Amino acid sequence: MAQNQPTLPPLPQVAAQGHQARHLLGVPSDVVVDEIEVLAMSRFVGTRWDVVPADLPGADVPVGRMANPGEPGVLRLSRHSAVSGPYAPSGKGGKDVEAGLPSGTAMVFDVVCPRERWDDATRFGGDRDGIGRAFPAALPNREEERVVAWLVQTARRLGGSVRLDVAGTWDDADGGRRPAGPGVVLTPDPDRAVDLTVYSDIWLDPQAAHRVLQATHPRVRLATEGRPYQGPPAGIADRPLYPGEPLDPEVRKAIHERADDVDIEALQAPMVLDAYGLTTDLGLDGSVTVEVTGDETLPLLVRELPWAAAGAVCYHVRWDPPDVYEANQEFPQAAHVVARRRAADLVGKMAVAIHAAVGGEIADEADFLLAPEDL
């Protein structure tokens, strides 16, 4: 049990109204409140403290008032969604409630957002995070979908758990409220998030990137090989453009000649390389691909940096698993887990090697920033 747990207020019994959903985020004792703040800033533009917790004197976002003794903080994600806490994971009886989260939970955050669901339970693909299991009737939509995704990704990053859909649901049939359900507890596997991206203002030429990555794996190769252009097929100028095409043969020939001129002009122009890739074949473990390109759509915390004001060079390091079906299961087979662990080690080494060469920032697949030493 965390030393600061006895000083935390108990979790309130009621926190959401009929049109709202209530979710809980539990984190272990090595997590501090400002980590929740930073992860919220990484996803929601309007993040601000309405009520600043007493143990968070230096908030990095706009703040309202300081919390009174024993009062939890209120971190607003958007106009309609907010995170309250931290609370103690265990109540003291009476109107207090148990968080219902796994042992090892030291702090609980109460999250309220609009209740927005699809009309039915139709879904596609796998359920690797268990969100479909938590919402069997209909998946979250719009604002609630964004909040739930952030909660699961935050729990994965911090080694915590989430208890989803704790509040009761609104029953349109009789206009009443269903009683509050127990909520489904998800403990996301931190090892599931494999892919990383390095954002930088430095562009590595393909050969330079190849040399940088060869130190991490000997089978890294450039995926830029192609075949020389051999020109259009013989006699194509005499063929109809499509079946039944009514063009005069001379007009058709002129169209093809003009197309040839455009192709020749493009081939003679200087080559502009704006993207390339490198691949590493891992045999039974799949492969790791590094895609290098420029992008103007960046994570929130990256786009605020001076060097990223006009975009950045993105080095996407991704694992391509040997079995896509297993990759999208909440509880994959042991063989997939072993392959993922080995691939994740290489992905981390490659991201660190690229970062050492070009600097910048490293982000995980949830756009949360990472320090190189954490890899």
Side-chain angles (χ1 to χ4, degrees):
M1 182 177 296
Q3 293 179 350
N4 62 342
Q5 183 173 328
T7 65
L8 298 178
L11 188 68
Q13 186 174 21
V14 178
Q17 302 177 20
H19 65 283
Q20 295 175 317
R22 184 188 188 189
H23 311 295
L24 302 179
L25 168 66
V27 295
S29 59
D30 59 350
V31 175
V32 293
V33 177
D34 60 357
E35 292 183 80
I36 305 295
E37 174 192 4
V38 171
L39 296 182
M41 292 168 57
S42 302
R43 183 61 50 81
F44 300 98
V45 177
T47 301
R48 70 178 189 275
W49 284 106
D50 285 351
V51 181
V52 185
D55 59 347
L56 191 68
D60 292 329
V61 296
V63 299
R65 63 175 178 83
M66 297 299 298
N68 297 318
E71 181 184 13
V74 178
L75 179 66
R76 187 154 297 282
L77 304 178
S78 68
R79 180 181 176 186
H80 302 290
S81 303
V83 179
S84 300
Y87 294 101
S90 300
K92 301 177 182 178
K95 295 184 178 181
D96 302 336
V97 297
E98 297 285 336
L101 292 164
S103 61
T105 300
M107 292 188 298
V108 178
F109 294 86
D110 202 342
V111 184
V112 173
C113 66
R115 177 176 293 275
E116 298 179 293
R117 308 285 166 84
W118 292 99
D119 295 333
D120 53 43
T122 302
R123 63 199 63 193
F124 304 95
D127 186 28
R128 74 171 208 162
D129 293 322
I131 295 177
R133 177 167 63 86
F135 298 92
L139 289 171
N141 189 15
R142 294 186 291 268
E143 175 95 352
E144 188 179 14
E145 180 183 15
R146 292 188 290 270
V147 171
V148 167
W150 175 76
L151 283 172
V152 171
Q153 292 162 347
T154 298
R156 174 179 291 118
R157 173 66 179 268
L158 300 178
S161 301
V162 291
R163 185 176 165 206
L164 298 174
D165 207 20
V166 180
T169 58
W170 189 262
D171 190 343
D172 293 329
D174 56 18
R177 266 278 329 263
R178 297 190 184 100
V184 174
V185 175
L186 302 179
T187 304
D189 183 359
D191 294 334
R192 186 178 294 277
V194 175
D195 299 345
L196 299 170
T197 300
V198 180
Y199 297 93
S200 174
D201 59 345
I202 296 178
W203 169 273
L204 282 179
D205 289 334
Q207 291 73 19
H210 187 226
R211 288 194 297 271
V212 167
L213 294 177
Q214 269 195 322
T216 64
H217 199 285
R219 290 204 296 271
V220 176
R221 67 176 183 86
L222 277 170
T224 55
E225 296 86 354
R227 293 181 300 175
Y229 179 62
Q230 302 296 328
I236 192 172
D238 299 325
R239 303 176 191 171
L241 298 177
Y242 55 87
E245 171 258 301
L247 285 179
D248 179 85
E250 294 300 323
V251 174
R252 185 190 310 122
K253 183 177 181 180
I255 292 175
H256 281 290
E257 289 177 349
R258 176 57 186 150
D260 291 344
D261 292 340
V262 172
D263 291 341
I264 293 172
E265 183 180 356
L267 291 171
Q268 291 177 341
M271 180 178 293
V272 177
L273 184 66
D274 57 6
Y276 64 91
L278 303 100
T279 62
T280 306
D281 185 2
L282 303 181
L284 296 177
D285 292 343
S287 63
V288 171
T289 301
V290 179
E291 299 175 6
V292 185
T293 185
D295 202 342
E296 296 180 358
T297 304
L298 307 175
L300 289 181
L301 295 186
V302 174
R303 72 177 68 165
E304 296 176 355
L305 301 174
W307 55 262
V313 181
C314 307
Y315 299 83
H316 301 288
V317 190
R318 299 189 175 103
W319 176 48
D320 298 312
D323 190 330
V324 177
Y325 175 82
E326 286 297 326
N328 287 281
Q329 299 305 301
E330 185 179 4
F331 305 106
Q333 298 292 325
H336 175 84
V337 174
V338 173
R340 185 182 67 195
R341 185 179 301 117
R342 288 194 287 249
D345 180 65
L346 179 59
V347 168
K349 290 179 179 178
M350 286 186 168
V352 170
I354 294 171
H355 182 268
V358 300
E361 298 288 345
I362 303 176
D364 62 15
E365 58 187 49
D367 286 345
F368 297 156
L369 299 188
L370 290 160
E373 54 269 21
D374 292 337
L375 299 175

